[in-house]
Amino acid sequence: MAINYSERIPNNVNLADDRRLQRALEAWQPGFLQWWAEMGPETFQGSDVYLRTATSTDAQGWATFGYVKMPDYRWGIFLADLEPDRKIPFGEHKGEPVWREVPGEHRGVLRRLIVTQGDTEPASVEQQRHLGRTCPSLYDLRNLFQVNVEEGRHLWAMVYLLHAYFGRDGREEADALLQRRSGNADNPRILGAFNEKTPDWLSYFMFAHFTDRDGKYQLASLAESGFDPLARTCRFMLTEEAHHLFVGESGVGRVISRTCQLMKEHNTDKVGAHGGIDLTLIQKYINFHYSVSLDLFGSELSTNAATYYSAGLKGRFKETDRDDDHQLNVSTYRVLRPVNGIVIQTEQTALNALNETLRDSYIADCERALTRWNKIIREAGVAFELKLPHRGFRRSIGEFASVQVTPDGQIVSEAEWQRQTPAWIPTQADREFVASLMKRVTAPGEFASWIAPPVRGINHQSLDFEYVTALPAN
Ligand code: BYC
């Protein structure tokens, strides 16, 4: 459905027909713009950025490209098209028509899911706001800003649902989304990973790869929801998510590629002195970001997740493609748990193991991407293999939160863990070294010493295209 850009809030939900909602959202809009000015990308608010903007929600007319100043970006409300006869695909109400309004008995739970999802979007913009200062190229700077404005729009998507369907509580939650701050001791963001720092570009690419990928899986589960407005908004968000994952995977891939090139050129695996990042250090960053992101799926065994599912609110990844009863009252699922110092395999009711089921889909996806990174290393003729650490490694949520697990899955004592940690995750010195490489490169077509250029530009533009112009002085 085409998007109406003539209104103050671009939308494809006929906002003009609902004056009350339109006024409520117009009242929220200045707070959002103020939040963007305060917490959005630092110092680049006056720059012209070559951004894509959605023009319609179907595959053909998805995006137009052009220079935009970020504060003028047309954030709005876009839902995937209505499927008139859609039925609830899972849970106790399976087969009944989807809900176009909030089912009264699930109001609180649904609001909480929407708020948790919504909270991650501004959080990531806050985490990344200072990165422009040290961008490795104009191409990367543009991609960062594209991701940032789209996260802003994803916040709009959740705020629309809160305003349109949750009355006064929803409006209060929408205001609170602009008040919490990533990493703030008094008023932090809801989920752990969104209170971590994104101190450098390697962390950023890792975040876009591992943490945005959680977003893909969570949004895909919510896209199955029996609450149809949530399903439709998540479907459209997923189309934007693909680019964010591309930025992450290709970003890490380009760092790996540059490292391998320097290794060959200088015949050493210590490339730091030549302006590169050692593969062993890249491995530590993977360990860090993967483990933080695994926590985002919640506890392995969760009655919350069982309730979301039975109530028809949050499904599994590709729920409708699965060949089972979509109710899970009798089936079981394999869950790893630490028992008496070793990790054992247990059978749990599938309904209670839904967070783990989703985490498994995510892990399989991460493994596929890891294979592609290892292919870059192999094809460069370097003998090294990156690995994903064990799912119990460095976890703060769920079954493994109370034990210390090594990257290869051994449970060890706290003392042993402390002794070995510097070999597993970035140390202060590692982070300082990576920070020392982060020098801003903004000459068109040039790239920082630690990252290879991409294979191609954005929207068929060349690599030396001016993806961002009117740059701030420093
Ligand atoms: N940190 O029963 P459990 C994205 C809490 S990313 C802190 O396992 P549940 C994006 C939990 O709230 C996708 N607390 O929880 C990426 C619960 O609290 P109560 C974001 C946590 O509900 C990059 C308690 O622990 N979307 O889009 O089954 C850039 C017991 O846990 C955490 C969503 O997450 C944690 N990590 O599962 C931009 C989807 N984990 O009840 C964007 C919506 C758990 O004891 N959210 N807790 O007070 C959900 O589906 C669920 O809330 C969760 C948690 C899967 C996150």
Side-chain angles (χ1 to χ4, degrees):
M1 197 198 286
I3 291 167
N4 185 348
Y5 272 96
S6 63
E7 293 180 37
R8 212 157 110 193
I9 301 174
N11 70 89
N12 69 349
V13 292
N14 293 331
L15 195 55
D17 294 349
D18 187 341
R19 288 280 169 206
R20 221 164 60 93
L21 176 60
Q22 188 179 31
R23 272 200 301 274
L25 285 165
E26 284 178 358
W28 185 82
Q29 192 175 31
F32 169 82
L33 292 172
Q34 195 188 335
W35 166 81
W36 180 268
E38 280 169 23
M39 299 311 296
E42 235 176 44
T43 73
F44 286 90
Q45 304 278 354
S47 298
D48 296 309
V49 188
Y50 186 67
L51 293 176
R52 66 176 187 184
T53 307
T55 47
S56 90
T57 51
D58 53 34
Q60 292 78 34
W62 197 93
T64 53
F65 285 82
Y67 284 105
V68 181
K69 289 193 198 324
M70 285 184 279
D72 301 335
Y73 191 76
R74 301 304 315 275
W75 285 286
I77 298 156
F78 313 133
L79 270 60
D81 290 351
L82 188 87
E83 277 176 47
D85 299 320
R86 186 169 171 253
K87 302 281 188 291
I88 299 171
F90 59 91
E92 284 161 8
H93 302 282
K94 192 185 100 176
E96 296 173 19
V98 289
W99 300 297
R100 310 258 181 237
E101 295 295 330
V102 175
E105 70 274 35
H106 302 311
R107 197 183 164 82
V109 169
L110 199 49
R111 190 184 66 213
R112 189 182 140 127
L113 278 173
I114 293 170
V115 167
T116 308
Q117 177 62 50
D119 192 68
T120 63
E121 316 291 359
S124 68
V125 175
E126 292 165 4
Q127 288 170 300
Q128 295 161 16
R129 67 185 301 260
H130 58 85
L131 287 172
R133 254 191 275 142
T134 55
C135 64
S137 72
L138 284 183
Y139 165 90
D140 290 293
L141 186 63
R142 176 263 164 217
N143 284 350
L144 168 73
F145 293 158
Q146 182 71 59
V147 171
N148 289 161
V149 293
E150 287 178 359
E151 301 300 8
R153 205 202 64 71
H154 290 184
L155 170 61
W156 269 94
M158 294 299 121
V159 164
Y160 163 71
L161 294 174
L162 289 169
H163 272 260
Y165 297 98
F166 293 89
R168 190 173 160 179
D169 302 355
R171 290 194 292 280
E172 285 172 5
E173 293 283 15
D175 290 344
L177 284 167
L178 294 177
Q179 282 152 13
R180 284 186 288 273
R181 289 286 181 271
S182 174
N184 185 301
D186 300 325
N187 198 10
R189 292 295 173 184
I190 296 171
L191 298 173
F194 295 89
N195 288 304
E196 297 279 351
K197 285 198 162 55
T198 310
D200 54 66
W201 277 77
L202 181 58
S203 302
Y204 168 63
F205 289 134
M206 293 283 174
F207 179 96
H209 181 78
F210 289 112
T211 307
D212 267 291
R213 194 172 304 274
D214 168 53
K216 167 181 161 184
Y217 282 85
Q218 299 293 348
L219 288 174
S221 309
L222 295 172
E224 302 285 349
S225 184
F227 177 50
D228 204 45
L230 175 61
R232 288 172 59 205
T233 197
C234 289
R235 271 183 212 162
F236 183 63
M237 287 162 80
L238 277 166
T239 64
E240 292 173 319
E241 208 61 56
H243 176 65
H244 306 187
L245 294 176
F246 161 79
V247 169
E249 181 178 336
S250 64
V252 176
R254 288 162 53 213
V255 180
I256 293 171
S257 176
R258 176 67 178 151
T259 300
C260 292
Q261 189 194 359
L262 289 170
M263 285 170 78
K264 301 292 271 188
E265 241 172 70
H266 300 280
N267 195 22
T268 175
D269 50 7
K270 299 267 172 290
V271 295
H274 308 290
I277 303 176
D278 290 350
L279 291 175
T280 49
L281 184 48
I282 294 174
Q283 177 68 63
K284 288 193 200 179
Y285 271 73
I286 290 176
N287 292 349
F288 180 90
H289 286 271
Y290 178 66
S291 53
V292 166
S293 303
L294 284 184
D295 268 344
L296 288 171
F297 290 83
S299 310
E300 285 75 2
L301 302 175
S302 166
T303 50
N304 283 348
T307 307
Y308 304 152
Y309 188 82
S310 296
L313 304 177
K314 182 182 177 191
R316 290 168 293 174
F317 185 63
K318 299 211 162 134
E319 180 70 46
T320 28
D321 295 352
R322 291 175 187 248
D323 191 15
D324 59 25
D325 69 356
H326 302 279
Q327 291 188 317
L328 308 178
N329 292 324
V330 286
S331 38
T332 61
Y333 196 80
R334 190 206 69 145
V335 176
L336 296 181
R337 306 177 81 175
V339 177
N340 296 333
I342 52 165
V343 180
I344 61 164
Q345 197 169 306
T346 66
E347 285 294 316
Q348 303 289 335
T349 59
L351 210 45
N352 281 340
L354 283 165
N355 285 344
E356 188 67 349
T357 309
L358 193 61
R359 186 163 21 236
D360 278 338
S361 302
Y362 169 85
I363 290 175
D365 203 8
C366 290
E367 272 163 0
R368 284 191 291 272
L370 191 86
T371 307
R372 292 190 286 272
W373 288 340
N374 278 325
K375 186 161 174 263
I376 297 174
I377 301 176
R378 214 175 41 250
E379 287 181 352
V382 169
F384 188 93
E385 203 180 331
L386 294 166
K387 295 195 172 77
L388 294 177
H390 188 270
R391 71 178 68 214
F393 174 70
R394 219 177 141 264
R395 293 285 302 283
S396 306
I397 303 280
E399 293 290 322
F400 292 97
S402 58
V403 289
Q404 299 293 15
V405 180
T406 64
D408 59 4
Q410 305 302 312
I411 298 177
V412 292
S413 67
E414 179 65 33
E416 180 63 7
W417 165 266
Q418 291 298 346
R419 198 178 67 74
Q420 299 238 50
T421 317
W424 293 332
I425 54 171
T427 60
Q428 185 59 26
D430 290 333
R431 291 199 180 276
E432 281 168 15
F433 168 71
V434 172
S436 77
L437 293 179
M438 299 292 132
K439 305 253 163 56
R440 189 202 275 197
V441 176
T442 51
E446 285 188 16
F447 290 82
S449 63
W450 52 271
I451 188 165
V455 177
R456 61 186 70 82
I458 292 293
N459 192 34
H460 311 294
Q461 299 291 359
S462 61
L463 293 189
D464 61 2
F465 181 75
E466 280 197 73
Y467 290 103
V468 185
T469 67
L471 299 171
N474 52 48

